[in-house]
Amino acid sequence: MHAVHQEWFDGTAAKDLDGVMSHIAEDVISYEHSEPLQYLGLESIREECRRGLEAASGAIDWDVPDLKILVREDIAVAWGLNRMQTQQPDGETAESWSRGTRVFQRGEGEWMMIHQHVSFPFDPKTGQAKTDLRP
């Protein structure tokens, strides 16, 4: 599972959409940060990832510094706080944090993500998302 995540981190840094899409099942269900919130199937996730990679004008880096993984036979769950860093047009780096949980199933010797849930917590006082979750 660490190797799968590293492929995603490397694919993101290289803005390699095919690399980012590796290990995602055809029938994946993903709960994302953006509308419509629920994305069904590989092609809808591919489009969301494409938009994200294209939105970053400069370098983009994604990791899960304290990634936790639990594996039981052909099912695995990975979770942690996602750190996203993007280079802005002015050269500054913007950083945001969100929560992420991913469920994988192994078939034919390969782990494929079948479900993902990423979210920002919100401040109940303002109703606004909080993107600074530094541990």
Side-chain angles (χ1 to χ4, degrees):
M1 295 281 62
H2 285 283
V4 168
H5 281 80
Q6 191 61 53
E7 284 182 41
W8 287 339
F9 302 152
D10 294 345
T12 299
K15 294 188 179 182
D16 172 13
L17 185 56
D18 290 333
V20 171
M21 297 309 300
S22 67
H23 299 286
I24 300 177
E26 285 288 332
D27 59 349
V28 66
I29 298 172
S30 185
Y31 300 151
E32 297 284 336
H33 299 113
S34 58
E35 299 280 338
L37 302 181
Q38 177 177 275
Y39 290 76
L40 304 175
L42 184 63
E43 286 309 310
S44 67
I45 297 300
R46 183 179 187 84
E47 180 61 20
E48 178 66 3
C49 290
R50 183 193 62 74
R51 281 192 298 267
L53 292 175
E54 289 178 357
S57 60
I60 183 170
D61 187 44
W62 169 54
D63 69 323
V64 183
D66 196 19
L67 180 65
K68 304 284 191 263
I69 298 170
L70 176 66
V71 178
R72 295 289 187 267
E73 298 177 20
D74 67 341
I75 296 290
V77 179
W79 66 93
L81 296 178
N82 303 310
R83 177 177 53 197
M84 194 68 79
Q85 297 174 309
T86 56
Q87 184 180 21
Q88 304 300 298
D90 64 3
E92 293 293 315
T93 299
E95 181 176 83
S96 66
W97 291 81
S98 64
R99 303 173 288 204
T101 302
R102 294 164 186 90
V103 180
F104 299 82
Q105 185 170 26
R106 184 173 39 210
E108 300 179 23
E110 187 173 3
W111 287 104
M112 300 298 285
M113 185 177 75
I114 59 174
H115 176 66
Q116 172 176 244
H117 185 137
V118 290
S119 63
F120 294 116
F122 76 99
D123 181 339
K125 293 177 185 168
T126 66
Q128 298 296 307
K130 298 190 316 187
T131 59
D132 186 356
L133 303 175
R134 283 176 267 213

